[in-house]
Amino acid sequence: MGQVTERVTVVDHPLVQHKLTLLRDKTRSTADFRRLMNEIGMFLAYEVTRDLPLATREIETPIERMSAPVIAGKKLVFAPILRAGIGFLDGMLTLVPSARVAHIGLYRDPETLEAVEYYFKAPSDVAERLVVVMDPMLATANSAVAAITRLKERGVVDMRFVCLLAAPEGIAKLRAAHPDVPIWTAAIDARLNDHGYIVPGLGDAGDRMYGTK
Ligand code: PRP
Ligand code: URA
């Protein structure tokens, strides 16, 4: 599962760590960056769903009837923060194909680093479901805090946040703003630089994923 402190889980699986190193490398191509992000998304989906409650269902194998475990309750919701959160989505949906999707469009104002919303579309019954909010980068946490606040305004009470890289400043801010929302990350980096970028980080995740630099 990885190391857990104060509701922050670092997913230290060797394959995740290896793929993260490949992603950080500035010579990685756009195509490989996207592929690796999706692959890591699968591992993170595996970890973030590890403790989902199970129910039992009566089925018939070719040999006999049995009570077999199935995921209990309503289908969960994956909520990528656009654009970069989309990088995890296909990988996560590969593992949980029946999940619903809520899109949250936010960009960081380059001067103020405040999150600006430009799109929001969630299932009408989102409040009744577990929502996994995803964004590869937790830097100042302004985007994550805004996304989670928006979902709470829609009545969501059960949320988890998944990222690839977190800055200590971002973790502290998200923990303070939404202490009820546990965090999963593949790594906690050293700090933020003067422009709000994670150091050593991987640069601008959206630009690297879509080749827009
Ligand atoms: C990036 C990233 C996060 C946000 C993290 O998005 O994908 O959403 O910054 O920074 P924060 O924790 O300081 O809010 P960006 O605004 O660059 O938009 P993009 O994903 O569309 O490129
Ligand atoms: N957004 C990114 O894409 N990268 C960072 O390092 C910080 C915010």
Side-chain angles (χ1 to χ4, degrees), residues 81-84 107-108 135 137-143 204 206:
I81 300 177
L82 310 183
R83 290 175 299 170
Y107 71 87
R108 246 183 18 158
D135 190 329
M137 312 305 278
L138 183 65
T140 65
N142 288 342
S143 305
D204 188 302

Side-chain angles (χ1 to χ4, degrees), residues 145-159:
V145 168
I148 292 167
T149 300
R150 185 73 159 85
L151 287 159
K152 284 185 175 175
E153 284 166 7
R154 282 287 304 270
V156 180
V157 289
D158 195 4
M159 259 183 284

Side-chain angles (χ1 to χ4, degrees), residues 20-26 33 136-137 164-167 187-193 197-205 208:
L20 172 56
T21 298
L22 298 180
L23 266 182
R24 287 186 193 266
D25 186 337
K26 70 177 185 182
F33 193 92
M137 312 305 278
L164 181 65
L165 289 184
I188 301 173
D189 272 11
R191 61 187 171 84
L192 293 178
N193 69 14
Y197 277 84
I198 298 174
V199 179
L202 53 73
D204 188 302
R208 293 196 62 193

Side-chain angles (χ1 to χ4, degrees), residues 45-179:
Y46 182 81
E47 293 294 344
V48 78
T49 55
R50 182 180 278 279
D51 65 347
L52 290 189
L54 292 169
T56 53
R57 178 189 294 165
E58 288 295 309
I59 60 163
E60 227 170 291
T61 78
I63 309 297
E64 68 170 9
R65 284 184 70 79
M66 70 174 287
S67 287
V70 289
I71 307 278
K74 281 183 170 275
K75 309 285 185 239
L76 56 81
V77 174
F78 287 143
I81 300 177
L82 310 183
R83 290 175 299 170
I86 289 288
F88 285 152
L89 186 61
D90 279 353
M92 297 228 177
L93 286 171
T94 300
L95 287 202
V96 192
S98 58
R100 310 308 194 229
V101 179
H103 291 88
I104 306 173
L106 295 173
Y107 71 87
R108 246 183 18 158
D109 182 292
E111 302 300 327
T112 65
L113 302 183
E114 292 301 321
V116 182
E117 184 180 311
Y118 58 88
Y119 189 77
F120 183 88
K121 183 80 179 176
S124 54
D125 61 353
V126 68
E128 297 158 34
R129 298 172 186 267
L130 166 64
V131 179
V132 177
V133 182
M134 61 188 77
D135 190 329
M137 312 305 278
L138 183 65
T140 65
N142 288 342
S143 305
V145 168
I148 292 167
T149 300
R150 185 73 159 85
L151 287 159
K152 284 185 175 175
E153 284 166 7
R154 282 287 304 270
V156 180
V157 289
D158 195 4
M159 259 183 284
R160 299 173 180 200
F161 182 79
V162 179
C163 62
L164 181 65
L165 289 184
E169 299 91 326
I171 290 178
K173 186 162 183 178
L174 184 50
R175 300 293 310 124
H178 296 296

